[in-house]
Amino acid sequence: MNLPDYIESTRENISGKGMKKMSNIYESAANTLGIFNSPCLTKVELRVACKGISDRDALSKPDPCVILKMQSHGQWFEVDRTEVIRTCINPVFSKLFTVDFYFEEVQRLRFEVHDISSNHNGLKEADFLGGMECTLGQIVSQRKLSKSLLKHGNTAGKSSITVIAEELSGNDDYVELSFSARKLDDKDFFSKSDPFLEIFRMNDDATQQLVHRTEVVMNNLNPAWKTFKVSVNSLCSGDQDRRLKCIVWDWDSNGKHDFIGEFSSTFKEMRGAMEGRQVQWECINPKYKAKKKNYKNSGIVILNQCKIHKMHSFLDYIMGGCQIQFTVAIDFTASNGDPRNSCSLHYIHPYQPNEYLKALVAVGEICQDYDSDKMFPAFGFGARIPPEYKVSHDFAINFNEDNPECAGIQGVVEAYQSCLPKLQLYGPTNIAPIIQKVAKSASEETNTKEASASPAALAKSVLAEVPNQVVDYYNGKGIKPKCVSEYESSRTLAP
C-alpha cells in the first residue's frame, strides 16, 4: 500500500467509527486503571538498637553504625545510615529510617552493622560486625523485631539487633530546637565535663523512646548544642502534653558516660521558646538531691529556640488554587514500529486503542482535573512531517505551531489520530527540544518522567511523583498554600 492509499484508508476508519473508537479508548483506560489501583501507601519510621556487638580487637570497643539496604531486582541498594556511636557495644541510635510501606509488596530489608573508626570513613576500610535480613512486613506486623546478627552465615557471637516500627501519623510538621546549658556539674578531675543531651519520649506503655541525641561539646560547663530538627510525630506522637524526659551526660571515651542530671518537659512547654523567648529547666541529679541538704541543681538547661515548620500537603496546595499544567510529548520515532503492523505501539486498529492512546488517557484523565481551562499543549518528535517531510523533534500534533493546545484529553486523542497517518516515523529519539520549550514557558515546573511499560504503570509512576514534587518544591521555597477563603476571594468571578 502506498502512502496516499494508507492515509485514505486510515481516515475512513477514523471518521466512520470516531465516536465508537473514543468510547473504546476511555473504556480501555478505565479498565486498565481499575485493574492496577494505586497502592495504599503508609510511611513508617524504623528505630534501631544493638546489643552485645564486639570488635575484632578484644581490647577495644567498636564505633558502630547501621546501614539500611533495600532489595530491588535482586540487588541491594543503600537507603540510609545511622550516626556513628563511639566506643559502644550496646548502641541505641537516634537517627530514624523513614520508609514507604506497601501492604501488597514484599519489601526485603538488610541491616548491616559496621565499625567505623575515627581514622577512616569509607566502608571498604570498616569492619563488618554483622547483618540481619527481614521484610518490612515482619517488622510492621510485630512492631518490635529482635534477631541475632549474622556474619558470613554464622551468628556473630551474642550480638543482636532490634528494630522498632512506628507508623507516621498525618502530622508531618517538624520542630527546630536549640538547647544550651550553664553551670553544669564538673565530672572530670583534670578537665571540665564533656556534656551531651538526650531527649526521650515517654510512651503509653511506660517505655521510653530516644528521640534525639546531641553532639558532645568538649571541656565545657556552659555548652551550646547545635540546632536540630525533629518531626512532631517523633517528638511527642502528636500529643503536646506527652511527657518528655531529658538527660544530660558527661561523655567518656570508654563509653561509660557519667550522669549529670535530668528534667521533664512537654512539647507544649517547649513551645514557650517561640518568638525570641526562652524556657529554662533545672537539671536535677536525684541522688544528690536526696543526700545533699543544700543541693539546688546540677546546672540549668535552656531552650533558646522552638520553631515549628508546617509541612503542607498536596491537597493544601490544590485547595489553595494551585494548577497543574499537563503537556503531552509523543514519540514518533521508527523504533515504535510501523503503525500498519500490529506489533507497533502506534498500531492503527479500527476498533481498539493502541498503547499510546491507552497511556495518554490513563494519565490525562487524572491530570485534567487539576487544570482549570483543560487546554493541553501536545507535541511530537522524531518524525518527518508534511508538507516537506523534514525530520522534526518539536512539532504541534495539531500542526498549529501558533496554538498547539488541544481542548481536553479528547482533543489530544483526536489530534493524535488525525496526525498519525500523515507522518513518517523516523528518528532519532530526541525529546530535549520539547522539554526545553516546556521548561521555558513554565520554568517553575519540569517533568521528564517516561516509561516503556503498561499504561497503568506509566500512570502510577508519573502521577505518584506529582504530589511530592509539588509539596517539596513549595516547601523548599518557603511558600505556603492559600487557605480556601483567600483563594475564593482572589478569583475573578464572571458577571
Side-chain angles (χ1 to χ4, degrees):
M1 181 184 294
N2 58 33
L3 182 61
D5 292 338
Y6 167 63
I7 293 175
E8 188 60 33
S9 65
T10 306
R11 281 177 178 167
E12 290 176 359
N13 285 333
I14 293 174
S15 60
K17 303 179 180 66
M19 294 302 295
K20 185 174 182 180
K21 288 185 68 178
M22 283 303 301
S23 176
N24 288 341
I25 292 169
Y26 282 92
E27 183 178 335
S28 176
N31 290 337
T32 303
L33 289 176
I35 294 173
F36 298 94
N37 285 325
S38 297
C40 180
L41 168 64
T42 301
K43 287 193 176 293
V44 176
E45 286 184 339
L46 302 178
R47 303 172 184 272
V48 184
C50 298
K51 282 188 177 181
I53 57 176
S54 58
D55 200 354
R56 289 189 303 179
D57 183 358
L59 299 178
S60 65
K61 295 180 180 179
D63 301 326
C65 169
V66 174
I67 296 176
L68 172 63
K69 295 183 177 181
M70 297 189 74
Q71 192 178 66
S72 177
H73 303 290
Q75 300 293 322
W76 292 103
F77 298 92
E78 179 177 338
V79 176
D80 205 351
R81 61 179 65 184
T82 67
E83 76 277 18
V84 177
I85 298 182
R86 301 297 178 191
T87 320
C88 188
I89 62 173
N90 301 308
V92 178
F93 299 95
S94 62
K95 172 65 183 291
L96 301 177
F97 296 130
T98 302
V99 295
D100 295 335
F101 170 65
Y102 298 91
F103 174 77
E104 70 282 1
E105 295 182 12
V106 177
Q107 297 170 269
R108 301 191 184 280
L109 307 180
R110 177 174 172 81
F111 297 86
E112 294 182 356
V113 184
H114 293 264
D115 177 18
I116 303 181
S117 69
S118 57
N119 297 326
H120 51 71
N121 296 315
L123 290 181
K124 292 182 179 179
E125 300 175 349
D127 293 333
F128 175 65
L129 302 179
M132 184 270 285
E133 293 183 16
C134 63
T135 66
L136 183 56
Q138 288 174 318
I139 303 174
V140 170
S141 63
Q142 299 181 40
R143 189 178 178 273
K144 181 178 181 181
L145 178 66
S146 296
K147 296 182 72 173
S148 297
L149 287 172
L150 299 180
K151 188 173 182 181
H152 307 307
N154 301 314
T155 55
K158 296 182 180 180
S159 59
S160 64
I161 185 170
T162 299
V163 184
I164 299 175
E166 182 177 9
E167 181 181 356
L168 279 175
S169 67
N171 188 349
D172 292 332
D173 298 351
Y174 66 93
V175 59
E176 189 174 323
L177 301 172
S178 178
F179 283 93
S180 63
R182 67 170 183 263
K183 297 183 179 179
L184 294 176
D185 284 353
D186 192 353
K187 294 291 184 177
D188 297 333
F189 291 107
F190 302 106
S191 63
K192 298 177 181 178
S193 295
D194 308 315
F196 67 93
L197 173 68
E198 289 184 328
I199 301 176
F200 294 86
R201 181 191 71 208
M202 306 309 294
N203 298 321
D204 295 334
D205 59 0
T207 61
Q208 61 185 34
Q209 182 64 58
L210 177 64
V211 173
H212 183 77
R213 180 187 295 116
T214 70
E215 77 284 4
V216 177
V217 178
M218 302 298 290
N219 195 32
N220 197 326
L221 301 181
N222 302 292
W225 292 289
K226 293 179 181 178
T227 300
F228 63 91
K229 297 176 182 178
V230 62
S231 71
V232 174
N233 185 77
S234 296
L235 181 64
C236 62
S237 299
D239 178 6
Q240 296 191 28
D241 294 315
R242 184 177 295 275
R243 191 165 75 90
L244 305 175
K245 183 179 180 180
C246 305
I247 304 177
V248 181
W249 300 90
D250 169 34
W251 179 85
D252 282 334
S253 59
N254 61 6
K256 297 180 180 178
H257 311 308
D258 297 319
F259 176 77
I260 294 179
E262 64 184 20
F263 63 93
S264 294
S265 184
T266 63
F267 180 43
K268 179 182 287 186
E269 186 179 18
M270 289 183 176
R271 288 173 65 107
M274 298 174 67
E275 300 177 356
R277 299 188 296 269
Q278 290 183 335
V279 179
Q280 299 184 5
W281 298 270
E282 287 187 309
C283 188
I284 302 298
N285 186 320
K287 291 184 178 179
Y288 289 178
K289 187 175 182 179
K291 293 180 179 179
K292 298 181 179 181
K293 293 183 179 180
N294 297 325
Y295 176 79
K296 291 185 178 180
N297 57 60
S298 295
I300 302 295
V301 177
I302 306 155
L303 178 57
N304 301 290
Q305 174 183 280
C306 176
K307 187 175 181 180
I308 300 174
H309 296 265
K310 174 70 176 176
M311 297 299 292
H312 301 289
S313 70
F314 178 60
L315 287 183
D316 288 335
Y317 289 103
I318 292 298
M319 295 176 72
C322 176
Q323 296 284 301
I324 296 176
Q325 184 180 18
F326 180 58
T327 301
V328 177
I330 300 176
D331 181 356
F332 288 107
T333 58
S335 60
N336 288 282
D338 189 334
R340 294 169 293 185
N341 189 318
S342 61
C343 295
S344 171
L345 298 177
H346 284 298
Y347 178 54
I348 301 175
H349 192 286
Y351 305 110
Q352 296 295 329
N354 62 31
E355 297 303 314
Y356 274 94
L357 285 175
K358 291 178 184 177
L360 176 62
V361 175
V363 177
E365 279 289 276
I366 297 174
C367 286
Q368 70 175 357
D369 290 341
Y370 304 101
D371 192 320
S372 58
D373 65 4
K374 293 180 173 51
M375 297 296 292
F376 306 128
F379 304 98
F381 63 93
R384 287 174 168 172
I385 62 174
E388 298 179 358
Y389 285 93
K390 292 183 177 180
V391 177
S392 174
H393 297 292
D394 176 11
F395 61 91
I397 65 172
N398 63 2
F399 297 118
N400 185 346
E401 297 300 329
D402 295 329
N403 183 17
E405 293 186 332
C406 303
I409 297 303
Q410 182 173 342
V412 177
V413 169
E414 291 174 350
Y416 167 78
Q417 292 175 320
S418 176
C419 82
L420 180 58
K422 303 173 185 176
L423 304 176
Q424 292 180 5
L425 275 58
Y426 204 71
T429 301
N430 182 11
I431 195 175
I434 296 178
I435 293 177
Q436 292 169 359
K437 174 183 287 188
V438 174
K440 184 178 180 180
S441 63
S443 58
E444 295 179 354
E445 290 182 347
T446 55
N447 256 330
T448 59
K449 284 283 181 182
E450 282 188 282
S452 57
S454 68
L458 175 67
K460 175 182 175 182
S461 62
V462 174
L463 300 179
E465 296 297 325
V466 172
N468 287 335
Q469 288 175 353
V470 171
V471 171
D472 290 346
Y473 174 80
Y474 284 118
N475 279 332
K477 296 289 185 180
I479 301 173
K480 300 179 180 179
K482 292 181 180 179
C483 65
V484 176
S485 58
E486 290 179 272
Y487 171 58
E488 291 296 334
S489 63
S490 67
R491 295 177 66 185
T492 303
L493 301 179

